[in-house]
Amino acid sequence: MKFEKPAEMNPIDRMKVVGQPIRRIDGELKVSGQAKYAYEWHDPAGRYAYGYPVGSAIAKGHILAIDSEAAQRAPGVLKVVTTLDVGDREKGKFNTAKLFGGSEIQHYHQAVAVVVAETFEQARDAAALLKIEYAEEAGSFSLKEAKSSAVKPKDAGGSEPDTSVGDFTGAFRSAEVTLDEEYSTPDQSHSMMEPHASLAAWDGDELTLWTSSQMIDWWRGDLATTLGIDKEKITLMSPFIGGGFGGKLFLRADAVLAAFAAKAIGRPVKVALPRPLMANNTTHRPATIQRIRIGASKDGKISAIGHESWSGDLAGGQPEAAVMQTRLLYAGKNRMTAMRLATLNLAEGNAMRAPGEAPGLMALEIAMDEMAEKLGMDPVAFRKLNDTQMDPENPERPFTQRNLNGCLDLGAERFGWKNRGKPRSRTEGNMLIGMGVAAAFRNNLLLPSAARVRLDQSGTLTVETDMTDIGTGSYTIIAQTAAEMLGLPINRVAVHLGDSRFPVSAGSGGQFGANCSTSGVYAACVKLREAIAAKLGFNSADAVFEDGQVRLGNRAVPLADAVGTEGLTGEDGVEWGDLSETHQQSTFGAHFVEVGVDRFTGETRIRRMLAVCAAGRILNPVTARSQVIGAMTMGVGGALTEELAVDERRGFFVNHDLAGYEVPVHADIPHQEVIFMEEADPYSSPMKAKGVGELGLCGVSAAIANAIYNATGVRLRHYPLTLDKMLHQLPDVA
Amino acid sequence: MKAFTYERATSVEQAASMAASNPDARFIAGGTNLLDLMKLQIETPLYLIDINHVGLDKIEPTDDGGLRIGAMVRNTALAADERVRRDYSVLSRALVAGASGQLRNKATTAGNLLQRTRCPYFYDTNQPCNKRQPGSGCSAIGGFSRQHAVVGTSEACIATHPSDMAIAMRALDAKVETVKGDGTRRTIPIADFHRLPGDTPHIETNLERGEFITAVNLPAPIGGKHVYRKVRDRASYAFALVSVAAVVQPDGTGRFAIGGVAHKPWRVDAADARLKAGAREAARAALADARPTEQNRYKLDLVERTLGAALAEAKG
Ligand SMILES: Cc1cc2nc3c(=O)[nH]c(=O)nc-3n(C[C@H](O)[C@H](O)[C@H](O)COP(=O)(O)OP(=O)(O)OC[C@H]3O[C@@H](n4cnc5c(N)ncnc54)[C@H](O)[C@@H]3O)c2cc1C
Ligand code: SF4
């Protein structure tokens, strides 16, 4: 099905199942321990062995030799497979860093060997016995130092690195009120609950891999490339995933190591990345340095807006696209954006939840707050005044829907925004109290997505697609979609995901998963409806699927009877026309936060948070809400604690475990509220939905920074907003 | 984790003599610190003596009006004890500010005193660390040192002692009771229990090899207002950047110990003497010899402000 024209009325609009607050259909499996995650598969043919990965002890250079004799002799050890053993390997398409193979070391904790033994403990023990001789080379590890050597990248995630409209320089120079500030965001780690893990089992030249992947087809292709085998020889399964946040978008070392190790010993092998390896072995959200310039007239109209961002990555990598939202979020005739990329020898920088927009808004939305203050305007009013219904870089091109102002208004009302006072004007006990606001913005992305649906004689509808559920609720919304399309109750629908034998889906990422994968299921269901109608001799356009029956006029046939003993199958996918080029499709929101800052110690504690989201049709308010509150929580971590600390001498992230890399705990998140605006966007898909999973993160951290300013009068521009950065500016207490 | 022998001791005497005859032995109490270190091969004992069955799990009054806390009393039980909450509430407060409910259910009084540093380089076996591998160097000096010690440091190590409980015990002048392998018993004032790093950061206490902690004694209650103020980046489940355990008398005199600043609970008599003059004077006296790094210089200011918060709280 090609989606080329805005959607008209369709069976989804009935909203009998879609849009209902239905609890996760896989919830019971999860809470009862029945949902098998990658490391928990126990039933491949033959007994499996354990592989323990070894990470490089240097950041850059070469391996001269690996002495694995002692390890090989250790109790229980079956085999040591080293990066030298497997030799140079072709890198997969989606990775910047090599995962395994050859002598070159590109970053710290790069996989250099896997030790395979009968038990996990034996493998781990023996891993410590490897003697590796390195030739270390000097590297570049500081973004600040590398900034001046940064270059204009060829590609910035499929878009131009630089844009320019009107005369930014002139307009900025002549603006009545201006702001020109530098901001920075640190390297961040996905830190999802489930570490990367794989179980590989070979049958002759065919490989079955149980793993934890957001994108089945991407992984399968890249694994085939790395192993040097045909993609068709690989079956990849990832039905349950304990979080990903972008950290499982691309093939990872655990899968490669497990495959090589299993081949080497002729038995299935399990490999999980130990938590302390994850930060440096995998990918992370790269740090940015950003410069923002805004010029406005005294009445608050933006005349010039400029956003530049510097980030670093391994050679061949990509910039963190932190300026993207600035191209679209606010009006202003004269504009410029630019991204520059430095070469760093840290681990690969790559997508983490809301890549680009999350760090970009962390800076932009502080700048907007600062600007509002310079203008003497309320920050809500200032944002509303500079709203635009057209793509500001292409003024002919409208947004399909854009209700940022509605989100700001409703949020302000619900949050009690009018009670916000001047900076440092409100105290409760030792706490300085403040409120902050920020706009949320994230584009709606469209990827092709296919599915197969089958209705059997018992009246059960089975959906198969390689779509993944990374904790987001895919199982549930896909079941809702299929149920709605066929007029069945949700308990008649079985959903199977994450298996490369199923039709290729959009996968989970970029908040595109929900809208795209359900659209693919929609397409397959259309096919199935046609097949059923054809079998009954109905005109499919007029047939009504409702209450477990298909009806035409006064003739009604129970679906189970209609498909007969053979059952019927529908298979199709959605492909996208040019509606995302003729129109700008985005999601919007407003975040409101109240914080307390201890006037003695500078500790910031969140008191309450509110998000108002305008993100198209909400397919399921329960799962959507949990996406948004999870994202808000991540925004609290990003604002207050999360930073991969770089050792710029040795070139690695030092705090590489969950004791050192502090994500929020329950006590940090006392109260969250989420409101979804009533919307349905016919331009986005037949589902009329968009994504919310990343929108919920966008802007949160800046709202916290702004609330800290309102509480303390201290303006912080460098994340994380820890107490050591503001202590000297807090009121004297001694 | 290296393969090891595991045996259970059922009495204090047995535990001590088992340790005496096995130079590679370690006691295992709650295991919440030791097991983590063993998994990473930072600790590699060949012989584990499980002391969870030796008793020592009671809190009893002493003849001089204090309390004797058995070495195996769990952190949760100690924090909840009525006498502790009434007469030594700084200790109760320090305990519940540490770790998590689950960990405190396992963690013991002795194990808590002996927990090892949280310096991230100590945990990464690729990196030089004098504490883990004497003579290899200190990676934290000149590296990521935001959490590290500012006072009592050496060229060899700038790690902190991470315990909350020990800071309160230092303020209370607790005493550690031990028994050695040969059966001799002694009492070590907590001030002399932990060591500064000096040239031997791998030696963290003045316990002898195989010496077994049997109890911690608290002297008779000293009254006053008890405050424990722990400062950290997130609201719970994080080690202190800085903490202050203070006992303040109605006349403004008192005593305080500081956590997160040194290789041991930090308390300076001269600083106690200045407490009445206010947080600034007292903090400066306590940290007179501080040698912070660029990244942890903020702790000097933070100690002063945290002490200020503690004194304000004490005043009510
Ligand atoms: C995630 C996490 C967070 C934490 N957060 C905090 C925190 O915020 N604040 C805090 O203070 N602590 C914190 N801790 C540390 C915790 O308090 C310690 O792990 C615990 O107190 C250790 O007690 P244990 O009984 O488990 O010791 P074990 O791990 O059993 O032993 C520790 C050491 O003590 C020795 N030992 C034990 N008993 C005796 C004895 N009777 N005689 C001689 N030697 C003995 C052992 O041989 C070993 O070397 C945290 C720990 C974790 C894992
Ligand atoms: S501070 Fe101490 S524990 Fe940390 S690296 Fe230096 S020597 Fe090791």
Side-chain angles (χ1 to χ4, degrees):
Chain A
M1 183 183 91
K2 187 134 192 194
F3 185 74
E4 292 177 295
K5 291 198 303 283
E8 294 173 359
M9 282 288 280
N10 67 40
I12 298 296
D13 293 316
R14 295 185 289 190
M15 301 267 287
K16 283 188 176 160
V17 196
V18 168
Q20 297 306 312
I22 292 169
R23 285 195 282 172
R24 281 166 204 269
I25 61 171
D26 51 335
E28 231 170 85
L29 287 181
K30 285 184 173 167
V31 297
S32 62
Q34 304 293 301
K36 271 191 198 157
Y37 290 81
Y39 208 69
E40 295 167 338
W41 287 90
H42 294 298
D43 54 355
R47 291 172 310 127
Y48 50 78
Y50 291 85
Y52 194 80
V54 181
S56 166
I58 63 163
K60 188 171 187 308
H62 283 82
I63 295 184
L64 298 175
I66 302 181
D67 175 359
S68 52
E69 226 182 278
Q72 198 78 61
R73 278 200 314 269
V77 171
L78 299 164
K79 186 90 189 165
V80 180
V81 180
T82 74
T83 188
L84 301 180
D85 297 340
V86 306
D88 272 324
R89 291 279 156 174
E90 197 179 332
K91 186 174 67 62
K93 181 162 89 181
F94 293 96
N95 290 114
T96 303
K98 269 189 334 175
L99 297 180
F100 192 54
S103 66
E104 187 196 355
I105 298 298
Q106 297 179 323
H107 61 89
Y108 192 69
H109 276 172
Q110 176 181 321
V112 295
V114 57
V115 178
V116 191
E118 293 290 352
T119 72
F120 171 77
E121 287 76 13
Q122 288 170 334
R124 186 175 57 187
D125 249 11
L129 298 174
L130 282 188
K131 290 192 199 73
I132 305 179
E133 203 185 318
Y134 297 97
E136 196 171 357
E137 289 164 25
S140 166
F141 306 118
S142 160
L143 176 61
K144 223 180 190 164
E145 281 168 23
K147 185 181 168 218
S148 57
S149 66
V151 297
K152 183 168 159 179
K154 276 201 263 328
D155 178 47
S159 56
E160 287 298 312
D162 291 9
T163 59
S164 163
V165 175
D167 170 20
F168 171 77
T169 313
F172 182 70
R173 200 181 306 125
S174 60
E176 288 170 328
V177 181
T178 60
L179 166 131
D180 180 356
E181 290 290 352
E182 188 173 286
Y183 306 83
S184 65
T185 62
D187 297 288
Q188 293 182 339
S189 168
H190 306 86
S191 294
M192 75 300 276
M193 190 107 68
E194 181 204 22
H196 305 83
S198 295
L199 168 54
W202 290 87
D203 182 3
D205 62 351
E206 298 196 356
L207 171 67
T208 303
L209 188 86
W210 288 264
T211 190
S212 188
S213 158
Q214 297 177 227
M215 306 292 285
I216 302 296
D217 195 54
W218 292 4
W219 278 57
R220 191 177 177 221
D222 274 0
L223 182 58
T225 304
T226 307
L227 297 177
I229 64 173
D230 202 4
K231 184 175 171 184
E232 302 311 315
K233 300 276 186 198
I234 299 178
T235 305
L236 202 135
M237 283 185 271
S238 184
F240 295 103
I241 297 141
F245 306 128
K248 295 172 180 169
L249 282 172
F250 318 113
L251 180 68
R252 296 260 60 88
D254 56 303
V256 178
L257 296 175
F260 277 122
K263 188 89 191 175
I265 66 161
R267 266 170 65 183
V269 173
K270 277 184 179 190
V271 177
L273 295 188
R275 181 70 61 179
L277 221 59
M278 285 168 62
N280 289 282
N281 177 274
T282 70
T283 58
H284 63 281
R285 188 201 299 285
T288 65
I289 297 171
Q290 303 178 44
R291 180 189 187 193
I292 296 180
R293 283 173 287 172
I294 304 176
S297 56
K298 278 193 187 130
D299 62 2
K301 284 247 181 208
I302 294 176
S303 55
I305 183 161
H307 193 162
E308 295 152 87
S309 172
W310 291 260
S311 61
D313 201 359
L314 292 164
Q318 294 227 341
E320 178 70 18
V323 305
M324 300 302 279
Q325 69 291 319
T326 307
R327 295 177 180 174
L328 290 160
L329 191 48
Y330 296 114
K333 282 216 168 59
N334 305 287
R335 4 191 3 114
M336 64 83 63
T337 66
M339 292 181 252
R340 293 293 175 266
L341 179 62
T343 301
L344 292 180
N345 302 106
L346 296 167
E348 175 177 336
N350 215 319
M352 177 168 148
R353 200 175 197 172
E357 277 106 337
L361 285 161
M362 284 166 87
L364 177 66
E365 288 300 288
I366 298 181
M368 289 297 285
D369 201 66
E370 296 191 70
M371 202 55 198
E373 169 148 71
K374 286 185 181 221
L375 289 158
M377 285 180 78
D378 182 281
V380 169
F382 176 55
R383 286 180 174 86
K384 283 174 59 187
L385 181 68
N386 288 289
D387 185 47
T388 170
Q389 294 295 315
M390 295 290 172
D391 169 355
E393 287 190 352
N394 301 284
E396 316 284 85
R397 189 170 166 257
F399 284 91
T400 57
Q401 283 182 347
R402 174 171 167 131
N403 196 8
L404 173 59
N405 286 5
C407 293
L408 287 163
D409 279 336
L410 182 62
E413 183 201 316
R414 291 290 178 85
F415 202 68
W417 182 251
K418 63 177 191 306
N419 301 323
R420 170 176 167 275
K422 290 206 169 355
R424 205 185 279 184
S425 64
R426 188 174 153 208
T427 59
E428 275 179 32
N430 287 339
M431 290 306 225
L432 309 171
I433 315 293
M435 288 188 216
V437 66
F441 171 91
R442 173 74 172 135
N443 276 333
N444 188 48
L445 307 178
L446 300 171
L447 272 73
S449 194
R452 182 159 58 222
V453 292
R454 182 179 161 74
L455 189 62
D456 67 24
Q457 195 188 7
S458 72
T460 299
L461 181 62
T462 303
V463 187
E464 293 175 337
T465 163
D466 85 353
M467 178 61 188
T468 49
D469 187 326
I470 61 173
T472 42
S474 308
Y475 278 103
T476 311
I477 56 171
I478 284 173
Q480 288 174 274
T481 304
E484 192 79 80
M485 287 300 287
L486 272 298
L488 287 168
I490 192 162
N491 62 13
R492 305 303 301 165
V493 183
V495 180
H496 299 299
L497 301 181
D499 188 321
S500 62
R501 291 167 298 190
F502 301 155
V504 174
S505 72
S508 300
Q511 80 171 12
F512 52 67
N515 181 42
C516 297
S517 71
T518 53
S519 296
V521 172
Y522 173 97
C525 289
V526 169
K527 278 274 155 64
L528 177 61
R529 288 164 56 114
E530 285 167 5
I532 294 169
K535 191 161 182 206
L536 295 174
F538 287 4
N539 174 350
S540 83
D542 301 330
V544 177
F545 290 75
E546 207 168 48
D547 302 330
Q549 297 180 326
V550 50
R551 265 192 294 108
L552 189 69
N554 51 15
R555 200 176 146 210
V557 183
L559 277 179
D561 298 350
V563 299
T565 50
E566 303 281 277
L568 278 177
T569 300
E571 181 169 342
D572 198 5
V574 66
E575 282 170 46
W576 308 97
D578 65 355
L579 288 177
S580 61
E581 281 144 44
T582 56
H583 291 70
Q584 178 59 38
Q585 303 188 9
S586 304
T587 59
F588 297 88
H591 287 287
F592 291 82
V593 178
E594 185 177 280
V595 303
V597 179
D598 190 294
R599 71 188 176 93
F600 285 97
T601 63
E603 289 162 295
T604 298
R605 300 291 179 245
I606 304 293
R607 288 158 60 95
R608 54 194 184 100
M609 309 176 78
L610 166 68
V612 184
C613 303
R617 172 174 284 156
I618 299 303
L619 301 174
N620 180 331
V622 179
T623 54
R625 178 178 187 276
S626 80
Q627 280 296 289
V628 177
I629 62 173
M632 290 157 80
T633 303
M634 197 175 233
V636 173
L640 298 180
T641 54
E642 292 183 39
E643 171 177 28
L644 286 169
V646 183
D647 186 313
E648 295 180 357
R649 305 159 307 169
R650 296 167 205 276
F652 74 110
F653 301 126
V654 184
N655 51 341
H656 50 59
D657 61 27
L658 289 176
Y661 186 86
E662 290 184 10
V663 299
V665 295
H666 283 88
D668 292 301
I669 311 293
H671 182 84
Q672 294 179 319
E673 200 184 329
V674 182
I675 300 171
F676 293 111
M677 299 295 237
E678 284 276 339
E679 270 190 2
D681 190 340
Y683 286 83
S684 69
S685 76
M687 303 301 294
K688 303 176 185 172
K690 297 175 188 167
V692 292
E694 302 193 327
L695 180 68
L697 170 60
C698 292
V700 177
S701 301
I704 294 169
N706 298 338
I708 291 175
Y709 177 73
N710 183 239
T712 63
V714 180
R715 182 62 78 180
L716 298 175
R717 301 185 184 91
H718 302 280
Y719 293 93
L721 314 169
T722 46
L723 57 89
D724 42 327
K725 294 175 183 158
M726 71 168 125
L727 225 41
H728 60 287
Q729 296 177 70
L730 286 180
D732 198 6
V733 286
Chain B
M1 193 178 287
K2 278 214 160 27
F4 55 85
T5 305
Y6 167 91
E7 277 185 285
R8 255 182 207 172
T10 49
S11 72
V12 174
E13 293 68 28
Q14 192 193 5
S17 78
M18 282 159 92
S21 53
N22 288 283
D24 288 316
R26 267 279 194 293
F27 302 114
I28 178 161
T32 59
N33 191 222
L34 184 62
L35 289 176
D36 282 357
L37 295 169
M38 286 172 66
K39 288 177 195 167
L40 294 165
Q41 299 212 353
I42 294 162
E43 300 244 23
T44 51
L46 298 177
Y47 186 58
L48 274 194
I49 305 165
D50 182 347
I51 54 173
N52 285 278
H53 302 271
V54 301
L56 300 181
D57 54 357
K58 297 201 174 47
I59 305 171
E60 296 155 328
T62 58
D63 295 341
D64 62 2
L67 282 183
R68 182 171 187 275
I69 305 160
M72 295 302 295
V73 172
R74 308 286 160 173
N75 288 178
T76 299
L78 182 57
D81 185 88
E82 199 190 311
R83 294 157 294 183
V84 175
R85 283 167 51 198
R86 186 185 59 225
D87 298 329
Y88 308 95
S89 71
V90 65
L91 177 57
S92 236
R93 288 162 191 236
L95 280 160
V96 298
S100 68
Q102 294 93 326
L103 283 159
R104 295 195 297 267
N105 288 342
K106 284 301 278 183
T108 62
T109 307
N112 192 319
L113 275 181
L114 292 173
Q115 65 174 294
R116 306 201 65 189
T117 187
R118 293 285 161 172
C119 168
Y121 295 99
F122 176 67
Y123 285 84
D124 187 334
T125 49
N126 289 327
Q127 302 302 325
C129 167
N130 287 325
K131 188 184 277 299
R132 176 167 32 75
Q133 209 182 342
S136 61
C138 171
S139 297
I141 297 176
F144 176 52
S145 59
R146 178 174 180 265
Q147 311 263 6
H148 285 73
V150 293
V151 69
T153 56
S154 72
E155 296 300 320
C157 179
I158 58 170
T160 59
H161 193 277
S163 170
D164 290 296
M165 179 193 83
I167 309 306
M169 286 183 171
R170 180 70 184 88
L172 292 169
D173 281 333
K175 292 194 177 67
V176 183
E177 281 183 20
T178 70
V179 54
K180 297 188 197 173
D182 62 7
T184 53
R185 292 179 180 261
R186 65 168 173 158
T187 300
I188 312 170
I190 190 148
D192 304 328
F193 182 79
H194 296 101
R195 295 162 56 101
L196 288 179
D199 295 334
T200 53
H202 58 292
I203 305 173
E204 291 165 353
T205 68
N206 285 318
L207 287 181
E208 289 171 18
R209 184 174 285 281
E211 189 169 357
F212 181 80
I213 300 176
T214 52
V216 173
N217 278 340
L218 300 179
I222 53 167
K225 200 75 175 165
H226 289 220
V227 179
Y228 189 75
R229 183 68 172 88
K230 179 175 181 178
V231 181
R232 44 190 156 177
D233 290 322
R234 66 180 173 196
S236 168
Y237 207 29
F239 290 94
L241 296 171
V242 151
S243 71
V244 167
V247 179
V248 185
Q249 302 300 338
D251 65 0
T253 63
R255 41 165 87 175
F256 69 103
I258 314 171
V261 295
H263 203 249
K264 60 190 285 188
W266 195 251
R267 186 168 159 205
V268 173
D269 290 343
D272 283 358
R274 305 294 301 159
L275 200 57
K276 210 176 159 160
R280 174 156 300 163
E281 293 228 7
R284 287 191 180 167
L287 300 178
D289 301 321
R291 287 197 318 172
T293 68
E294 271 318 300
Q295 291 188 8
N296 68 19
R297 186 174 301 281
Y298 74 95
K299 286 194 177 186
L300 305 185
D301 202 7
L302 185 57
V303 165
E304 183 180 315
R305 300 183 73 98
T306 309
L307 183 58
L311 294 182
E313 190 180 332
K315 239 189 233 160

